């Protein structure tokens, strides 16, 4: 395989595996009321893959389908993986002949039922757009580009689009007129708090007077 193909494939695998890993973790963390540190997860996943790469292991990441199935049956620890592995071994050696004539569509339906709630999260796009239109646009662009152009090129376009969004947001910072709250040294947005509007108007007038003085000086 040419070196450039290896680099592009490696980039795609790294981005996709980490994105799936963190998105699964954040989804279940939000559902069950705990938090995760994305930086810590990134370091752990990277070190695990570095060590595994020395022994010709497959890329380690989170399994969307298996995690959804485990969560639906109530598994809370990694011990569930041990029992799942034992069941898979028993099925492969003793029960697999019974599933030989079973259509693949039936097996796919089992996974789709487990992933139903994850697919329904697409309906959250409208709510996310109301919270942060830029983040929602990055989310939608990543999905659309991966669907149209494939994983590798789609991810590259999504990363560039995300960087462009960051540059636009940093070049246009939020600005507002603030006023001092009566009886304190706190300054707040005059358009959001009624008790500071009067102070904010006075500050605006002082600023305009200063601008006029500077214009006269020129």
């Amino acid at each position: 395989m040419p070196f450039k193909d290896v680099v592009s494939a490696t980039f795609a695998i790294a981005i996709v595996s980490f994105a799936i890993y963190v998105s699964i973790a954040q989804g279940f963390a939000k559902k069950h009321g705990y938090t995760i540190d994305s930086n810590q997860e990134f370091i752990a996943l990277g070190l695990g893959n570095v060590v595994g790469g020395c022994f010709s292991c497959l890329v380690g990441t989170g399994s969307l389908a298996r995690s959804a199935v485990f969560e639906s049956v109530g598994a809370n620890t990694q011990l569930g993986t041990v029992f799942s592995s034992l069941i898979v071994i028993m099925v492969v050696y003793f029960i697999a002949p019974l599933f030989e004539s079973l259509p693949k569509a039936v097996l796919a339906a089992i996974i789709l039922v487990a992933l139903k709630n994850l697919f329904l999260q697409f309906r959250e796009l409208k709510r996310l757009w109301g919270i942060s239109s830029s983040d929602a646009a990055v989310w939608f662009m990543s999905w659309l580009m991966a669907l149209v152009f494939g994983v590798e090129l789609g991810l590259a376009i999504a990363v560039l689009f995300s960087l462009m969004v960051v540059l636009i947001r940093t070049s246009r910072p939020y600005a507002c007129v603030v006023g001092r709250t009566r009886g304190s040294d706190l300054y707040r947005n005059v358009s959001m708090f009624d008790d500071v509007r009067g102070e904010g108007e006075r500050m605006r007038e002082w600023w305009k007077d200063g601008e006029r003085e500077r214009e006269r000086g020129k």
Side-chain angles (χ1 to χ4, degrees):
M1 180 182 291
F3 179 74
K4 64 178 183 179
D5 294 338
V6 174
V7 173
S8 61
T10 303
F11 174 78
I13 292 173
I15 297 297
V16 171
S17 61
F18 179 68
I20 293 176
Y21 183 85
V22 174
S23 62
I24 294 173
Q26 289 179 344
F28 289 126
K30 181 179 179 181
K31 183 175 181 180
H32 295 285
Y34 59 89
T35 59
I36 65 168
D37 186 351
S38 299
N39 292 330
Q40 183 179 2
E41 299 294 333
F42 179 76
I43 295 173
L45 186 63
L47 289 176
N49 283 316
V50 167
V51 175
C54 298
F55 300 94
S56 300
C57 296
L58 296 176
V59 178
T61 184
S63 172
L64 186 63
R66 189 177 297 275
S67 299
V69 172
F70 277 11
E71 193 271 339
S72 64
V73 299
N76 295 319
T77 65
Q78 294 299 327
L79 191 60
T81 307
V82 176
F83 290 103
S84 174
S85 301
L86 293 176
I87 294 174
V88 169
I89 293 174
M90 294 177 59
V91 169
V92 169
Y93 280 97
F94 302 107
I95 311 178
L98 301 177
F99 294 97
E100 184 176 359
S101 59
L102 194 65
K104 292 184 178 179
V106 175
L107 299 176
I110 299 174
I111 303 300
L112 289 176
V113 170
L115 296 177
K116 179 182 66 175
N117 293 331
L118 296 177
F119 286 131
L120 292 178
Q121 290 182 358
F122 192 85
R123 297 183 300 182
E124 294 288 316
L125 181 60
K126 182 178 180 181
R127 185 180 66 85
L128 294 176
W129 185 271
I131 297 174
S132 176
S133 58
S134 58
D135 291 341
V138 171
W139 184 92
F140 181 76
M141 181 62 68
S142 302
W143 170 80
L144 182 62
M145 292 299 100
L147 181 65
V148 174
F149 297 104
V151 175
E152 297 180 6
L153 183 58
L155 283 175
I157 297 175
V159 170
L160 293 177
F161 180 78
S162 178
L163 292 175
M164 183 182 68
V165 170
V166 172
L167 291 176
I168 294 175
R169 293 177 64 178
T170 53
S171 63
R172 300 173 59 186
Y174 174 75
C176 65
V177 177
V178 296
R180 189 174 65 179
T181 306
R182 296 186 182 92
S184 70
D185 293 330
L186 298 177
Y187 287 83
R188 296 178 176 176
N189 190 341
V190 297
S191 62
M192 299 176 61
F193 298 91
D194 295 334
D195 58 343
V196 297
R197 285 182 180 175
E199 186 71 21
E201 292 296 332
R202 288 194 293 271
M203 293 179 65
R204 187 183 290 110
E205 291 299 326
W206 293 337
W207 179 78
K208 290 181 179 179
D209 291 341
E211 288 292 322
R212 296 191 191 99
E213 291 295 332
R214 283 191 290 270
E215 289 294 332
R216 292 189 190 127
K218 293 180 181 180

